[in-house]
Amino acid sequence: MLMTALAVMLGTAFVAGTLVFTDTLGNALRSQSAKSYTDITVTVSDRGAVGKGYDHGGRTAGGPALTEDTRKALAALPGAAEARGVVSGFAGIADRKGALIGNGFSTTGTNYVPGADGTDPRYPLVEGQGPKSAKEIALDRRTAEKGGYQVGDTVRVAVNGPVMELKLTGTLRTNDPRVVSGGSLAAFDTATAQQLYLSPGRFAEIDVKGKPGADDNALLTAAKQAVPPGDTIDAQTGRELAADQDRMIEAGTKGMSRALLVFAGIALFVGVFIIANTFTMLVAQRTRELALLRAVGASRKQITRSVLLEALAVGLSASVAGLVAGVGIASGLRALLNGPLEANLPDGPLVVGPSTVLTAVGVGVLVTVLAAWLPARRASRIAPVAAMSSAEQPATQKSLLVRNIIGLLFSAAGVGGLLAGSAAKEVKLVGLGAGALLIGVFVLTPLLARPLIALFAPLLRRLYGTPGKLARENAVRNPRRTAATASALTIGVTLITALTVVGASVNKAVDEATASDMKADYTVAMQNYSMLSPDVAPQIARTPGVTAMSVMRSVPVETGADGDTEWLTAVDADTIDRLATVKVKEGAADALKQGKLLITAGHAERTGLTVGSALAVTYPDGTKGSLVVGGVLEANSVLSGLVAPDAVVGPHASAGAGLDKVLVKGADGATAGLKQALRDATGGNPLIAVKGEKDIKAENRQLVTAVLNMMYGLLGMSVVIAVLGVVNTMAMSVFERRREIGMLRAIGLDRRGIGRMVRLESLVIALFGGVVGVLLGIVTAWAGIRTLADVFKGITTVVPPVQVLVFLLGAALIGLLAALWPARRAARVDILDAIKSA
């Protein structure tokens, strides 16, 4: 019962910890976010004022804009106390060694707006003063500390071009969530920020602070009348902005919660096998007692209720303990993230809401009672007379036949779902098929146990003699019990194996695609996947050692009568074949040099375009044109969709439109000297990454490894619960076989032999679960990988033998460790007491 309660407690703790952590995080983020809007009554934003590098179109040309005149008009409105013009973007701060401080996605840049006293209330000064010219900058306090900067030092900072060396005039405090969570903040004077991110005199947003007692809606109405009309100009109250932010935070935390609860559900599902196994054994042990109750008048319903009430008591006590443990897990997780992992989550109290309490306790109780329902029904069907003469009723042939038929039907449906899903490349169908197959195999496991475990028999007999033979016979003595124990371990092994096979397959596909599709020695791109400055291309072209280069620029164009948006990839027609593999299935190989369009085979199939087709397009600058399809490309990881000459497309991109990346080939190949020369050519910008083939492969492997490690960690709880199940089964099995163990001792089997018998039995059961899990994981991964064929060129199923062997050895180790206590207990059984036991 203790092991069962512990399994329920761990699963419930996972659920409670997830809910408490996400509720706590969401509450802290909302509190922090609310501080950002305390000085905003109404905000007017320009959706067309997208900063350089933030999208593929760059700055918007023409149209209405928010200017200083607009700001003054808003500040003069009745009820307005002040109006603040805002410009923002990203800004990479380099440390003393030139490395980027923080991550590329939260490197924030903005304008510093001093008031009459020379300070900006939105960014309170910690030390020094705000920036006043294009040669000055202020940083948030934490970023300055990370970079080792003091007021007066020279700071190296960059947007999407060469590095600027600016004087640090002061350090700031901010409650911006991006900065608090580990990002960085660089503050420029307003004119400099406008030049860097938009254009002189232009704001992306104007925030209006109302006078005390001013009506938000009245001020909003007046603001809408004061700003220039246009489709890109929006106005909202600060309360609406805060509400929108709260909804975004809630959606984000709910998404995180759902993802974590999936793994909590897996842990609870594993616990079901342990609970069902425990109550099945309890019912078997109490067969005579239950039969006597039936004989003296107890009804079947009373017997069922007695078992379910026992399960209810176990589930309730374990769930309450799990709730308490879950609160501790949430607190420890927050401390871990804010400590060694430096996630810098916002502070706030732990939130244990009524819904969390009800959900955690309710789920734990429900799972326990449902898992005990079948054993309870089985207990109610014990025949009084038959049970009085037998310690345990064997399963009837009819029940076994029904079970096997159900298992075969589920397995057939699962295999069909996997095949259909892999053929149609439907991930959901593959998931449903995998689930059905898993259930079918679980139901069939008693049928599979005897033949599979028999495979170990010769080895056990040859290596361990009588203890090995007895271990094999004990393992198959009760196939249902063995199946339930092994199935708990099978779940974790199945998921871990499937994830590992998918990860290895993706790694191989990306490695092969990188090697075969990219001829360039290096790619130059922004670390945060924003746009490179157009100025970078000529700088790279002038770099010593560069023999060929091509820009890659994604440009949105409108096509068709409905104005659908397609993305053109613009490249240098004269050099792209030296930098990427261009295999033309149909049409002319030099189509790009003729000013024509190349399309991939998948795009041709989807749109019906063929060689010679004319595609009418409207470019971002409003110019209309027509591109003729000159060839159809084979699938390529570098070139995809629509590929056009940059000489044709580039002039029609938006003013200041950036580049996705630049492909570079050197005279001597990929050398350390060329890599450094490219870094120098881009001004040592910490946000710009120069990557070769090895870097791209290593980056991909690092990403896949990080995802797999996170998944392994989340699945760890289910494996722990499975271990408890093996311990539980072996301990109760030893208790049931006390008399048998005593007889074995009496006829000459020593303590070492008894302990070895129990350990080998546990080992065989664990290996059985591991083998089934590995096979299911490989099959599931195979079907899932086939759905990725359109995403990863030439992807095939790769089964890493070393990892699979490690998983099987891990299952064996789990079996041996789980048997330590039961084996010790069995070896210490007193011979006479055991023989006298009933």
Side-chain angles (χ1 to χ4, degrees), residues 503-538:
S505 303
V506 169
N507 276 336
K508 183 181 178 184
V510 173
D511 286 352
E512 290 181 346
T514 302
S516 63
D517 296 343
M518 193 178 80
K519 296 180 180 179
D521 295 318
Y522 290 105
T523 65
V524 181
M526 298 292 288
Q527 289 197 51
N528 57 3
Y529 300 101
S530 57
M531 297 294 101
L532 276 170
S533 168
D535 300 333
V536 170

mmCIF file of all heavy atoms in Angstrom, residues 503-538:
data_model
loop_
_atom_site.group_PDB
_atom_site.id
_atom_site.type_symbol
_atom_site.label_atom_id
_atom_site.label_comp_id
_atom_site.label_asym_id
_atom_site.label_seq_id
_atom_site.Cartn_x
_atom_site.Cartn_y
_atom_site.Cartn_z
ATOM 1 N N GLY A 503 15.044 12.087 -33.065
ATOM 2 C CA GLY A 503 16.157 13.028 -32.969
ATOM 3 C C GLY A 503 17.336 12.622 -33.833
ATOM 4 O O GLY A 503 17.922 13.446 -34.550
ATOM 5 N N ALA A 504 17.698 11.341 -33.804
ATOM 6 C CA ALA A 504 18.817 10.858 -34.626
ATOM 7 C C ALA A 504 18.500 10.986 -36.108
ATOM 8 O O ALA A 504 19.371 11.339 -36.914
ATOM 9 C CB ALA A 504 19.124 9.403 -34.272
ATOM 10 N N SER A 505 17.259 10.735 -36.483
ATOM 11 C CA SER A 505 16.864 10.825 -37.892
ATOM 12 C C SER A 505 16.901 12.258 -38.382
ATOM 13 O O SER A 505 17.360 12.546 -39.496
ATOM 14 C CB SER A 505 15.468 10.228 -38.076
ATOM 15 O OG SER A 505 15.413 8.889 -37.639
ATOM 16 N N VAL A 506 16.409 13.182 -37.558
ATOM 17 C CA VAL A 506 16.431 14.600 -37.928
ATOM 18 C C VAL A 506 17.873 15.085 -38.048
ATOM 19 O O VAL A 506 18.228 15.818 -38.986
ATOM 20 C CB VAL A 506 15.646 15.437 -36.905
ATOM 21 C CG1 VAL A 506 15.878 16.930 -37.120
ATOM 22 C CG2 VAL A 506 14.149 15.129 -37.004
ATOM 23 N N ASN A 507 18.712 14.701 -37.093
ATOM 24 C CA ASN A 507 20.124 15.099 -37.150
ATOM 25 C C ASN A 507 20.789 14.633 -38.446
ATOM 26 O O ASN A 507 21.484 15.402 -39.118
ATOM 27 C CB ASN A 507 20.889 14.510 -35.958
ATOM 28 C CG ASN A 507 20.768 15.361 -34.716
ATOM 29 O OD1 ASN A 507 20.523 16.566 -34.804
ATOM 30 N ND2 ASN A 507 20.919 14.757 -33.563
ATOM 31 N N LYS A 508 20.557 13.385 -38.800
ATOM 32 C CA LYS A 508 21.175 12.858 -40.011
ATOM 33 C C LYS A 508 20.647 13.576 -41.254
ATOM 34 O O LYS A 508 21.407 13.927 -42.161
ATOM 35 C CB LYS A 508 20.903 11.363 -40.135
ATOM 36 C CG LYS A 508 21.586 10.734 -41.349
ATOM 37 C CD LYS A 508 21.286 9.255 -41.481
ATOM 38 C CE LYS A 508 21.953 8.682 -42.721
ATOM 39 N NZ LYS A 508 21.602 7.256 -42.930
ATOM 40 N N ALA A 509 19.328 13.829 -41.285
ATOM 41 C CA ALA A 509 18.733 14.490 -42.455
ATOM 42 C C ALA A 509 19.292 15.900 -42.626
ATOM 43 O O ALA A 509 19.623 16.326 -43.741
ATOM 44 C CB ALA A 509 17.209 14.533 -42.314
ATOM 45 N N VAL A 510 19.387 16.630 -41.514
ATOM 46 C CA VAL A 510 19.905 18.003 -41.594
ATOM 47 C C VAL A 510 21.377 18.002 -41.969
ATOM 48 O O VAL A 510 21.826 18.831 -42.778
ATOM 49 C CB VAL A 510 19.681 18.740 -40.257
ATOM 50 C CG1 VAL A 510 20.364 20.104 -40.270
ATOM 51 C CG2 VAL A 510 18.192 18.920 -39.995
ATOM 52 N N ASP A 511 22.144 17.079 -41.394
ATOM 53 C CA ASP A 511 23.568 16.990 -41.735
ATOM 54 C C ASP A 511 23.759 16.711 -43.222
ATOM 55 O O ASP A 511 24.575 17.347 -43.901
ATOM 56 C CB ASP A 511 24.235 15.891 -40.914
ATOM 57 C CG ASP A 511 24.434 16.286 -39.457
ATOM 58 O OD1 ASP A 511 24.181 17.464 -39.140
ATOM 59 O OD2 ASP A 511 24.828 15.418 -38.661
ATOM 60 N N GLU A 512 22.999 15.748 -43.745
ATOM 61 C CA GLU A 512 23.145 15.391 -45.161
ATOM 62 C C GLU A 512 22.676 16.523 -46.070
ATOM 63 O O GLU A 512 23.292 16.794 -47.103
ATOM 64 C CB GLU A 512 22.362 14.109 -45.452
ATOM 65 C CG GLU A 512 22.977 12.866 -44.817
ATOM 66 C CD GLU A 512 22.198 11.606 -45.143
ATOM 67 O OE1 GLU A 512 21.052 11.731 -45.637
ATOM 68 O OE2 GLU A 512 22.722 10.504 -44.879
ATOM 69 N N ALA A 513 21.572 17.177 -45.679
ATOM 70 C CA ALA A 513 21.072 18.286 -46.492
ATOM 71 C C ALA A 513 22.055 19.446 -46.489
ATOM 72 O O ALA A 513 22.299 20.076 -47.529
ATOM 73 C CB ALA A 513 19.713 18.745 -45.969
ATOM 74 N N THR A 514 22.640 19.715 -45.330
ATOM 75 C CA THR A 514 23.621 20.798 -45.252
ATOM 76 C C THR A 514 24.834 20.495 -46.122
ATOM 77 O O THR A 514 25.340 21.367 -46.843
ATOM 78 C CB THR A 514 24.062 21.014 -43.791
ATOM 79 O OG1 THR A 514 22.915 21.311 -42.986
ATOM 80 C CG2 THR A 514 25.051 22.162 -43.678
ATOM 81 N N ALA A 515 25.291 19.260 -46.056
ATOM 82 C CA ALA A 515 26.478 18.882 -46.829
ATOM 83 C C ALA A 515 26.211 18.867 -48.329
ATOM 84 O O ALA A 515 27.073 19.253 -49.127
ATOM 85 C CB ALA A 515 26.968 17.510 -46.371
ATOM 86 N N SER A 516 25.013 18.423 -48.727
ATOM 87 C CA SER A 516 24.743 18.273 -50.156
ATOM 88 C C SER A 516 24.182 19.533 -50.803
ATOM 89 O O SER A 516 24.407 19.779 -51.990
ATOM 90 C CB SER A 516 23.762 17.120 -50.377
ATOM 91 O OG SER A 516 22.510 17.402 -49.770
ATOM 92 N N ASP A 517 23.436 20.338 -50.043
ATOM 93 C CA ASP A 517 22.743 21.492 -50.641
ATOM 94 C C ASP A 517 23.529 22.792 -50.532
ATOM 95 O O ASP A 517 23.316 23.708 -51.327
ATOM 96 C CB ASP A 517 21.376 21.688 -49.982
ATOM 97 C CG ASP A 517 20.437 20.524 -50.237
ATOM 98 O OD1 ASP A 517 20.726 19.759 -51.167
ATOM 99 O OD2 ASP A 517 19.447 20.373 -49.512
ATOM 100 N N MET A 518 24.430 22.899 -49.553
ATOM 101 C CA MET A 518 25.156 24.152 -49.367
ATOM 102 C C MET A 518 26.604 24.003 -49.825
ATOM 103 O O MET A 518 27.372 23.222 -49.243
ATOM 104 C CB MET A 518 25.107 24.608 -47.905
ATOM 105 C CG MET A 518 25.578 26.048 -47.718
ATOM 106 S SD MET A 518 25.465 26.624 -46.013
ATOM 107 C CE MET A 518 26.953 25.896 -45.330
ATOM 108 N N LYS A 519 26.966 24.708 -50.858
ATOM 109 C CA LYS A 519 28.346 24.731 -51.329
ATOM 110 C C LYS A 519 29.133 25.869 -50.684
ATOM 111 O O LYS A 519 30.368 25.880 -50.734
ATOM 112 C CB LYS A 519 28.382 24.900 -52.845
ATOM 113 C CG LYS A 519 27.761 23.754 -53.631
ATOM 114 C CD LYS A 519 27.850 24.037 -55.131
ATOM 115 C CE LYS A 519 27.240 22.930 -55.961
ATOM 116 N NZ LYS A 519 27.306 23.245 -57.419
ATOM 117 N N ALA A 520 28.428 26.837 -50.128
ATOM 118 C CA ALA A 520 29.088 27.998 -49.514
ATOM 119 C C ALA A 520 29.924 27.539 -48.324
ATOM 120 O O ALA A 520 29.587 26.578 -47.631
ATOM 121 C CB ALA A 520 28.052 29.021 -49.070
ATOM 122 N N ASP A 521 31.012 28.245 -48.088
ATOM 123 C CA ASP A 521 31.855 27.939 -46.936
ATOM 124 C C ASP A 521 31.266 28.513 -45.658
ATOM 125 O O ASP A 521 31.389 27.911 -44.586
ATOM 126 C CB ASP A 521 33.265 28.493 -47.148
ATOM 127 C CG ASP A 521 33.983 27.804 -48.302
ATOM 128 O OD1 ASP A 521 33.867 26.566 -48.407
ATOM 129 O OD2 ASP A 521 34.620 28.507 -49.114
ATOM 130 N N TYR A 522 30.603 29.677 -45.775
ATOM 131 C CA TYR A 522 30.032 30.332 -44.595
ATOM 132 C C TYR A 522 28.714 31.009 -44.951
ATOM 133 O O TYR A 522 28.486 31.402 -46.105
ATOM 134 C CB TYR A 522 30.990 31.378 -44.011
ATOM 135 C CG TYR A 522 32.218 30.773 -43.369
ATOM 136 C CD1 TYR A 522 33.453 30.819 -44.010
ATOM 137 C CD2 TYR A 522 32.141 30.134 -42.141
ATOM 138 C CE1 TYR A 522 34.578 30.245 -43.441
ATOM 139 C CE2 TYR A 522 33.257 29.566 -41.557
ATOM 140 C CZ TYR A 522 34.468 29.630 -42.205
ATOM 141 O OH TYR A 522 35.578 29.047 -41.630
ATOM 142 N N THR A 523 27.848 31.120 -43.947
ATOM 143 C CA THR A 523 26.653 31.957 -44.059
ATOM 144 C C THR A 523 26.777 33.064 -43.013
ATOM 145 O O THR A 523 27.270 32.828 -41.901
ATOM 146 C CB THR A 523 25.357 31.166 -43.801
ATOM 147 O OG1 THR A 523 25.341 30.706 -42.445
ATOM 148 C CG2 THR A 523 25.248 29.984 -44.739
ATOM 149 N N VAL A 524 26.353 34.245 -43.396
ATOM 150 C CA VAL A 524 26.371 35.395 -42.484
ATOM 151 C C VAL A 524 24.921 35.808 -42.250
ATOM 152 O O VAL A 524 24.195 36.111 -43.203
ATOM 153 C CB VAL A 524 27.171 36.568 -43.081
ATOM 154 C CG1 VAL A 524 27.197 37.747 -42.104
ATOM 155 C CG2 VAL A 524 28.598 36.126 -43.419
ATOM 156 N N ALA A 525 24.468 35.772 -40.987
ATOM 157 C CA ALA A 525 23.077 36.091 -40.670
ATOM 158 C C ALA A 525 22.979 36.611 -39.250
ATOM 159 O O ALA A 525 23.934 36.492 -38.464
ATOM 160 C CB ALA A 525 22.186 34.864 -40.849
ATOM 161 N N MET A 526 21.822 37.186 -38.913
ATOM 162 C CA MET A 526 21.605 37.687 -37.558
ATOM 163 C C MET A 526 21.294 36.515 -36.629
ATOM 164 O O MET A 526 20.598 35.567 -36.999
ATOM 165 C CB MET A 526 20.433 38.671 -37.545
ATOM 166 C CG MET A 526 20.667 39.912 -38.399
ATOM 167 S SD MET A 526 21.957 41.000 -37.733
ATOM 168 C CE MET A 526 21.110 41.690 -36.326
ATOM 169 N N GLN A 527 21.771 36.595 -35.396
ATOM 170 C CA GLN A 527 21.529 35.532 -34.430
ATOM 171 C C GLN A 527 20.058 35.438 -34.032
ATOM 172 O O GLN A 527 19.585 34.360 -33.669
ATOM 173 C CB GLN A 527 22.373 35.758 -33.165
ATOM 174 C CG GLN A 527 23.850 35.520 -33.358
ATOM 175 C CD GLN A 527 24.577 35.352 -32.042
ATOM 176 O OE1 GLN A 527 24.167 34.564 -31.204
ATOM 177 N NE2 GLN A 527 25.642 36.106 -31.863
ATOM 178 N N ASN A 528 19.340 36.555 -34.080
ATOM 179 C CA ASN A 528 17.931 36.539 -33.685
ATOM 180 C C ASN A 528 17.000 36.380 -34.885
ATOM 181 O O ASN A 528 15.799 36.642 -34.782
ATOM 182 C CB ASN A 528 17.572 37.810 -32.911
ATOM 183 C CG ASN A 528 17.873 39.077 -33.694
ATOM 184 O OD1 ASN A 528 18.310 39.028 -34.842
ATOM 185 N ND2 ASN A 528 17.642 40.214 -33.070
ATOM 186 N N TYR A 529 17.556 35.967 -36.003
ATOM 187 C CA TYR A 529 16.789 35.687 -37.217
ATOM 188 C C TYR A 529 16.041 36.909 -37.758
ATOM 189 O O TYR A 529 15.075 36.778 -38.500
ATOM 190 C CB TYR A 529 15.796 34.540 -36.993
ATOM 191 C CG TYR A 529 16.485 33.266 -36.596
ATOM 192 C CD1 TYR A 529 16.518 32.865 -35.262
ATOM 193 C CD2 TYR A 529 17.141 32.488 -37.540
ATOM 194 C CE1 TYR A 529 17.181 31.708 -34.886
ATOM 195 C CE2 TYR A 529 17.800 31.325 -37.169
ATOM 196 C CZ TYR A 529 17.820 30.941 -35.832
ATOM 197 O OH TYR A 529 18.476 29.797 -35.462
ATOM 198 N N SER A 530 16.489 38.090 -37.403
ATOM 199 C CA SER A 530 15.957 39.300 -38.016
ATOM 200 C C SER A 530 16.784 39.598 -39.265
ATOM 201 O O SER A 530 17.597 38.780 -39.691
ATOM 202 C CB SER A 530 16.009 40.468 -37.025
ATOM 203 O OG SER A 530 17.335 40.671 -36.571
ATOM 204 N N MET A 531 16.565 40.770 -39.845
ATOM 205 C CA MET A 531 17.183 41.059 -41.131
ATOM 206 C C MET A 531 18.553 41.730 -40.996
ATOM 207 O O MET A 531 18.743 42.591 -40.138
ATOM 208 C CB MET A 531 16.274 41.982 -41.951
ATOM 209 C CG MET A 531 14.926 41.368 -42.316
ATOM 210 S SD MET A 531 15.096 39.965 -43.433
ATOM 211 C CE MET A 531 14.923 38.603 -42.290
ATOM 212 N N LEU A 532 19.470 41.312 -41.838
ATOM 213 C CA LEU A 532 20.765 41.982 -41.939
ATOM 214 C C LEU A 532 20.615 43.329 -42.635
ATOM 215 O O LEU A 532 19.773 43.485 -43.524
ATOM 216 C CB LEU A 532 21.731 41.132 -42.767
ATOM 217 C CG LEU A 532 22.503 39.998 -42.088
ATOM 218 C CD1 LEU A 532 23.181 39.162 -43.169
ATOM 219 C CD2 LEU A 532 23.527 40.531 -41.109
ATOM 220 N N SER A 533 21.450 44.262 -42.270
ATOM 221 C CA SER A 533 21.473 45.528 -42.977
ATOM 222 C C SER A 533 21.946 45.314 -44.423
ATOM 223 O O SER A 533 22.865 44.528 -44.672
ATOM 224 C CB SER A 533 22.427 46.501 -42.274
ATOM 225 O OG SER A 533 22.664 47.632 -43.090
ATOM 226 N N PRO A 534 21.332 45.994 -45.407
ATOM 227 C CA PRO A 534 21.799 45.878 -46.800
ATOM 228 C C PRO A 534 23.257 46.292 -46.970
ATOM 229 O O PRO A 534 23.923 45.869 -47.920
ATOM 230 C CB PRO A 534 20.866 46.814 -47.566
ATOM 231 C CG PRO A 534 19.663 46.974 -46.697
ATOM 232 C CD PRO A 534 20.162 46.879 -45.282
ATOM 233 N N ASP A 535 23.763 47.106 -46.027
ATOM 234 C CA ASP A 535 25.149 47.557 -46.115
ATOM 235 C C ASP A 535 26.153 46.428 -45.895
ATOM 236 O O ASP A 535 27.333 46.556 -46.241
ATOM 237 C CB ASP A 535 25.412 48.662 -45.089
ATOM 238 C CG ASP A 535 24.527 49.881 -45.311
ATOM 239 O OD1 ASP A 535 24.122 50.088 -46.473
ATOM 240 O OD2 ASP A 535 24.239 50.596 -44.340
ATOM 241 N N VAL A 536 25.682 45.306 -45.300
ATOM 242 C CA VAL A 536 26.598 44.210 -44.991
ATOM 243 C C VAL A 536 27.106 43.541 -46.266
ATOM 244 O O VAL A 536 28.268 43.128 -46.342
ATOM 245 C CB VAL A 536 25.899 43.182 -44.070
ATOM 246 C CG1 VAL A 536 26.749 41.915 -43.924
ATOM 247 C CG2 VAL A 536 25.624 43.796 -42.707
ATOM 248 N N ALA A 537 26.245 43.434 -47.276
ATOM 249 C CA ALA A 537 26.620 42.728 -48.506
ATOM 250 C C ALA A 537 27.857 43.332 -49.170
ATOM 251 O O ALA A 537 28.818 42.599 -49.469
ATOM 252 C CB ALA A 537 25.438 42.685 -49.475
ATOM 253 N N PRO A 538 27.899 44.643 -49.446
ATOM 254 C CA PRO A 538 29.116 45.191 -50.063
ATOM 255 C C PRO A 538 30.345 45.089 -49.165
ATOM 256 O O PRO A 538 31.468 44.958 -49.656
ATOM 257 C CB PRO A 538 28.745 46.654 -50.349
ATOM 258 C CG PRO A 538 27.540 46.944 -49.531
ATOM 259 C CD PRO A 538 26.827 45.651 -49.358
#
